[in-house]
Amino acid sequence: MSAPAHAERAHALLGASGASRWIACPPSARLTEHISEKRSEYADEGTAAHELSEVKLQQMLMPNNSARRKELEKALTEAMASTYYGPEMENAVNDYVDIVAERFLAAKARSQDAVIMFEQRLDFSEWVPEGYGTGDVIIISDGIMDVIDLKYGKGVPVSAFGNPQMRLYALGAWQEYDFLYGIEEIHMTIIQPRLDSVSTDIVPVSELLEWAETVVKPAAALAFAGEGEFKAGEHCRWCKVKGNCRARADENMKALEYEFRDPALLSLEEIGSVLFVAEQLKAWAKDVEGYAFDQAKNGAKIPAWKLVEGRSNRVITDKDVAWKSLEDAKIDDDKFLKPRELLGIGELEKRIDKKELAALIGDLIVKPPGKPVLVPETDHRAELNSVDQDFAGEEFES
Ligand code: SF4
């Protein structure tokens, strides 16, 4: 593989993946620098998907001699031995690889000299002290550079538009390859195959460089020096002190000081404001609870709180023996066995190849209209006409 193994990558203080946080809240970088990252199953799963995708991309898009082909076969076997590997990962990675292949074909159509690179270490330290990251895919052809990133997670949708992580990768790649290829325009793409999402932000190099000089450079200098102002916001969700940060607490407590005036009932305008505050407080409360729980588990005493045993449900210690005993006693099956039931589409897709599943029951799968949800007006979905819609079962999106 061309870069350090995915799981072994070191993290820079001002890495690209944390850029939206340290640009908005520069002192967060030094504040959190010695706090270790909680290892998560999702991160390990993402690492496995990246390893698999890199092998597949190399196999599909690079001219490999027989020795290299053998090496890649071995790497593929290893990647498929991961505990996270299964039909869902195979399908998602294949979708990603197909999209990258399409982009490379488009680049080749522009110029036969198109080049493609995987897992490149990208150095953007001209703007960010010691800043570097690893770009999944770089394609360059005829003055256009594609910077492509795989996001395997499906919990949080991530868009390429104005995305600081992608922009920093683009800066590093531009710095490295501009003198060779003369790059004028950058296409930054995030592919999130498990959400069927592909977004591409296109910016001229001049705009990227202006952002680097006016936004990134000053914020990075403050962050590196441990200076600047703490600023809470959306970016806090990725911060290692999100549960015990005073600036975030102050910001949220300020939100609680909202003053209601007469008359006795809130107006719809006020309800709109409260909804925003409620969303913010819900996220914060969850993070504070998580932090407090971890502290208590590690033996810290939180005044007025204690750790107790939670509720538990009875379990059958040996299901096979229990089954046999009930069978021997001639109890009817339907009294102690669950009825057979078809799995949901998500589970089926995890266990059966996506194409095979589509061929077998694709015509039986439909997507009914979703239930109405109330979201901020900045949401990209088209607004429903409240007069024409049946709003039975209305709920809030959390
Ligand atoms: S939680 Fe938010 S405000 Fe606090 S340091 Fe982290 S990013 Fe800054």
Side-chain angles (χ1 to χ4, degrees):
M1 303 290 102
S2 44
H6 297 255
E8 293 160 16
R9 287 177 189 166
H11 286 283
L13 174 73
L14 304 181
S17 59
S20 62
R21 175 185 44 77
W22 59 253
I23 289 173
C25 177
S28 65
R30 290 287 178 201
L31 182 68
T32 58
E33 109 183 270
H34 300 299
I35 301 174
S36 53
E37 197 84 57
K38 264 195 191 169
R39 203 154 179 80
S40 87
E41 225 176 74
Y42 299 117
D44 292 345
E45 189 183 47
T47 299
H50 273 85
E51 281 170 354
L52 178 67
S53 67
E54 190 189 349
V55 180
K56 286 183 176 254
L57 285 168
Q58 298 262 11
Q59 285 182 317
M60 187 192 257
L61 300 175
M62 300 305 273
N64 299 307
N65 61 24
S66 66
R68 179 69 180 139
R69 280 202 297 275
K70 267 193 201 145
E71 224 175 88
L72 288 169
E73 272 308 317
K74 189 166 166 264
L76 184 66
T77 310
E78 281 168 13
M80 289 167 72
S82 159
T83 47
Y84 296 103
Y85 177 78
E88 186 181 27
M89 184 173 286
E90 177 71 23
N91 291 333
V93 166
N94 286 344
D95 288 349
Y96 164 70
V97 167
D98 287 348
I99 296 167
V100 173
E102 271 168 30
R103 295 289 168 102
F104 188 43
L105 273 180
K108 282 203 146 190
R110 289 196 299 272
S111 161
Q112 269 310 305
D113 299 330
V115 286
I116 184 163
M117 289 160 275
F118 309 117
E119 296 299 318
Q120 291 300 298
R121 183 184 154 107
L122 304 170
D123 184 326
F124 42 86
S125 55
E126 176 159 338
W127 301 274
V128 177
E130 299 173 9
Y132 68 89
T134 306
D136 290 339
V137 177
I138 308 286
I139 301 171
I140 306 173
S141 145
D142 199 26
I144 295 177
M145 177 168 74
D146 276 282
V147 178
I148 304 177
D149 200 47
L150 165 66
K151 300 269 182 232
Y152 187 69
K154 60 178 179 180
V156 181
V158 188
S159 164
F161 292 95
N163 185 304
Q165 179 182 15
M166 296 304 288
R167 288 180 164 221
L168 288 178
Y169 288 159
L171 274 176
W174 174 82
Q175 173 90 332
E176 182 77 23
Y177 301 112
D178 181 55
F179 83 102
L180 272 179
Y181 300 105
I183 298 160
E184 285 156 21
E185 191 173 87
I186 313 221
H187 296 196
M188 290 162 286
T189 298
I190 288 181
I191 302 171
Q192 235 173 332
R194 290 156 88 205
L195 291 181
D196 278 331
S197 165
V198 181
S199 57
T200 301
D201 192 12
I202 299 178
V203 295
V205 166
S206 55
E207 189 182 319
L208 183 73
L209 293 179
E210 193 189 330
W211 173 80
E213 290 296 332
T214 58
V215 177
V216 175
K217 213 171 180 172
L222 287 173
F224 197 71
E227 293 169 1
E229 290 202 4
F230 287 101
K231 173 117 186 58
E234 271 285 301
H235 50 272
C236 294
R237 74 190 296 174
W238 310 116
C239 185
K240 286 186 268 186
V241 296
K242 63 186 177 183
N244 61 331
C245 169
R246 186 170 302 279
R248 192 179 184 209
D250 287 346
E251 181 73 22
N252 283 300
M253 296 313 273
K254 246 192 277 162
L256 281 174
E257 284 162 16
Y258 190 90
E259 276 193 26
F260 298 111
R261 295 178 303 278
D262 284 341
L265 297 181
L266 297 178
S267 68
L268 286 178
E269 262 103 40
E270 286 172 313
I271 291 284
S273 311
V274 171
L275 285 175
F276 278 112
V277 174
E279 285 299 304
Q280 184 185 324
L281 292 176
K282 264 195 278 181
W284 177 54
K286 195 163 152 263
D287 293 336
V288 174
E289 275 172 9
Y291 173 77
F293 181 67
D294 286 347
Q295 292 296 306
K297 255 193 345 189
N298 291 333
K301 175 76 191 144
I302 297 173
W305 290 82
K306 63 182 177 183
L307 208 55
V308 297
E309 195 180 304
R311 287 182 192 191
S312 77
N313 293 323
R314 292 173 300 164
V315 289
I316 294 175
T317 51
D318 190 327
K319 287 192 178 172
D320 291 337
V321 173
W323 185 326
K324 187 160 183 323
S325 302
L326 292 163
E327 219 168 33
D328 290 349
K330 305 272 182 278
I331 306 279
D332 291 343
D333 282 7
D334 59 357
K335 289 200 173 136
F336 68 92
L337 292 179
K338 283 186 186 164
R340 289 181 73 189
E341 190 188 341
L342 197 61
L343 293 170
I345 298 170
E347 269 309 305
L348 289 172
E349 282 179 348
K350 280 187 195 165
R351 295 156 194 242
I352 302 172
D353 178 79
K354 209 172 172 181
K355 287 189 185 124
E356 189 186 354
L357 187 67
L360 290 170
I361 61 164
D363 55 346
L364 299 172
I365 297 175
V366 293
K367 194 166 187 301
K371 282 202 265 178
V373 287
L374 195 58
V375 297
E377 64 185 353
T378 47
D379 191 278
H380 67 278
R381 285 165 286 186
E383 185 163 15
L384 292 174
N385 180 344
S386 58
V387 180
D388 294 345
Q389 302 293 327
D390 174 8
F391 278 178
E394 182 172 329
E395 61 183 37
F396 291 96
E397 188 166 87
S398 57

